[in-house]
Amino acid sequence: MTTAWRHRDLLLELVKREFTGRYRGSFGGLAWSFAQPLFLLAVYTVAFGVILRMRWGFPGGTGDYALMVFAGLIVFNAFAECLTTAPWLITSNPNYVKKVVFPLEILPCVTAITAIFHALVGIAVWFLGYAILYGAPHPTAALFPAILLCLFPLLLGANWLLSALGVVVRDIGQLAALVAHAMLFLTPIFYGIDAVPPLLQNVLLANPLTFVVEQLRLVLFFGEMPSLRGLAVYFVLASAFAALALGLFRRLRPRFAEMV
Amino acid sequence: MGEVAIRARGLSKRFLSYDSQGARLMHALSPSRSAGVHEVWALRGVDLEVARGESIAIIGRNGSGKSTLLQIITGTLVPTMGEVEANGRVSALLELGSGFNPEYTGRDNVMMNGLILGLGRDEIARRFDEIAAFAEIGEAIDRPVKTYSSGMLMRLAFAVQVLTDPEILVIDEALSVGDFFFQQKCLGYIRALCEKGVTLAFVSHDMGTVRDLCGRAIYLRDGRVAFAGETSLAIHHYLADRGGGNGASHFSEAAAQADLPALLRDCIWRAPASTGAGRLIAVALRDEQGRPSTSFPMGATMKVQVAYRPGAEGPTHVAAILRNKLNQIVTSIGSAQLQVAPPAPVDGEASIFELDLKLSLEAGNYSLTISLGRLVGPNQGHNLDSSDAIGPISIHWDYESRSAPFLGMFGPPATAAFKRVSHE
């Protein structure tokens, strides 16, 4: 983290570029950041909420279904964005590896920060939707930053791990895309965890996203206090994972130049 | 200041190639497995010490490990064995426009490059105008870098690296891209930086530039240091090897001659050891102002100075053989053709032969070989000694904006006049 701090100007510039660069040359520009999750939400809501008529375990209409799905999607999208980008991070920037002395550790940070930013955009859209349907949000909704904070080390760790491994084994990129796809359905996004057969429930609980999704829905939608102890434990575990991933990244770092 | 800027000990670098992805994976996970792994040593046991403010050149043929060594000094490659330390901020021009993102404008890339070099935003903003002015690319600074010509790219890259206060400057061949006049500007700037105490590590195949910029040179051959020391001697080793190795083996400092010090100081080529009669000692090339140079405008006069020991018998003939890029002899001219008689030889004394050669030749690179011989017929001689091929000697002309004295390969002496037609 000291590396990131030392290069904060560079980090900031890279995040800025990631944001502006993604839609560079497109007519929509930054609006795509909003439009994309909204569009996907509309598709999923029509498919699962309207056509398949899926409902949560409480009485509510399609609007409720959409809000619940969206809260889950925000978390999933952040993670999936990392999963699909990270394996190519180093290999797609050979200049930064071979030609200049570049603090490579911060590239995965950039991706994690960008993902969190996109999640923030998503939450802003979520609040808008909630305001239209129900008006003022619950006071507990103000706690959402704490939940994103717990998610952050998980994203960071995944990025360090995958970007480093992606250099050594190019197949990681393909695999990660598959995993991301599977996780869309193996995370309780379109359904509640209690709607799942007991055997599969364990799989879902082992999914690191499940806890975050549930907590986010708790504060945003249900207006309940999150499990503070749970969040604390989660944060510590995620941080430990990130530290291990960074360790691996640093171990493989000297060999990047020959393998990229 | 005896401070060390770059110190390397026992640097070795091994590159691995793999038969299959599996071998690559196994090797990455446990480096002791070596099935299906092939190794190539780019550097072997290189020692290097560069004092602060010193300029050192690294010369050698393609694939001799020069760029690998620079990359290790810069920090983009990690040595397999040995260690390197660089004390100070390293700025590197390793490859053209590396670290530039082609989609972004020159301005954005300058900012990015500066940040990568570890400068703050304010600092870069403060220097931006200076950088843009040095690069001389005008309005293009706000266009995406992908629209730049290679020359523009090089100029911008050079400006960023050099104007951001490096303490150690590492340059790998990058300068060969720009036009001659920008090269001159860059070299002038580099020299000024060196005088201010910046340490320079320089790789080039242009021996003239190497000689001008660096007091000391390292000659790498197959990843090992074949010679380290005074630049003109290192160049000699390099050129001698290139010519097929006419056995330059042992070295003693060439005996300093009382009447030769200037020539020996400025020489671009020097014989390995001062041996007996009928041998060349050193060759220097000067421009019209008498400065040592290997780069001349078209039509300028190059002064070739040759120090030699006359042969024991017969009149001595000294000739300069100029070859073009295709290794064709453009001219071979010397004392016999110009009908100058050598003075009577004094036993063991060195003589100096001077030849003023007007370079009425097409712009480009040439090489020069000096030969010392004994005349046996009007156009025949018995060769006693030859220098290595010295060069490149570059002849240049700004064809864009200045009218050339001639076009084509050669400008023979000519006069011309318009005459009025007389009507009776």
Side-chain angles (χ1 to χ4, degrees), chain A residues 72-93:
Chain A
L73 273 182
I74 287 167
V75 174
F76 168 79
N77 281 343
F79 191 71
E81 186 179 328
C82 293
L83 223 54
T84 47
T85 321
W88 312 110
L89 264 185
I90 309 293
T91 47
S92 62
N93 286 302

Side-chain angles (χ1 to χ4, degrees), chain A residues 149-228:
Chain A
L149 186 70
C150 292
L151 181 64
F152 186 65
L154 178 73
L155 301 182
L156 212 49
N159 285 341
W160 276 323
L161 181 73
L162 293 175
S163 58
L165 288 181
V167 179
V168 184
V169 190
R170 299 295 163 98
D171 313 60
I172 293 281
Q174 311 296 339
L175 268 173
L178 285 182
V179 169
H181 222 84
M183 280 184 87
L184 176 60
F185 296 100
L186 291 179
T187 308
I189 293 173
F190 304 111
Y191 48 83
I193 192 156
D194 27 314
V196 176
L199 203 68
L200 261 179
Q201 263 185 19
N202 292 328
V203 177
L204 257 56
L205 286 172
N207 177 345
L209 294 185
T210 304
F211 177 75
V212 185
V213 169
E214 305 255 272
Q215 295 300 311
L216 191 63
R217 281 174 177 157
L218 224 48
V219 299
L220 287 183
F221 191 82
F222 296 108
E224 286 173 29
M225 279 302 285
S227 154
L228 290 179

Side-chain angles (χ1 to χ4, degrees), chain A residues 9-10 13-14 16-17 21 24 95-96 98-102 167-170 254-255 257-259, chain B residues 13 15 18 24-25 27-28 71 74 76-78 94-95 98-100 103-104 108 112 115-116 120-121:
Chain A
D9 273 351
L10 179 60
E13 181 73 21
L14 284 168
K16 217 167 74 191
R17 285 190 168 203
R24 206 181 180 80
N95 277 347
Y96 289 163
K98 290 182 172 174
K99 307 293 162 56
V100 288
V101 181
F102 188 91
V167 179
V168 184
V169 190
R170 299 295 163 98
R255 317 199 36 203
E258 291 153 52
M259 294 196 277
Chain B
K13 179 66 187 177
F15 286 103
Y18 304 92
R24 176 186 159 126
L25 178 62
H27 192 77
Q71 278 177 292
T74 310
T76 53
L77 274 184
V78 180
L94 291 182
E95 210 171 287
S98 47
F100 276 1
E103 296 297 325
Y104 286 88
D108 282 345
M112 196 65 200
L115 287 171
I116 292 173
R121 295 187 68 89

Side-chain angles (χ1 to χ4, degrees), chain A residues 5 8 25 38 51 63 102 111 138 158 163 200 215 219 231 237 245 253 258 260:
Chain A
W5 180 246
R8 60 192 177 281
L38 270 182
I51 300 173
F102 188 91
T111 310
H138 298 292
S163 58
L200 261 179
Q215 295 300 311
V219 299
L231 283 176
L237 287 179
R253 164 78 180 90
E258 291 153 52
V260 164

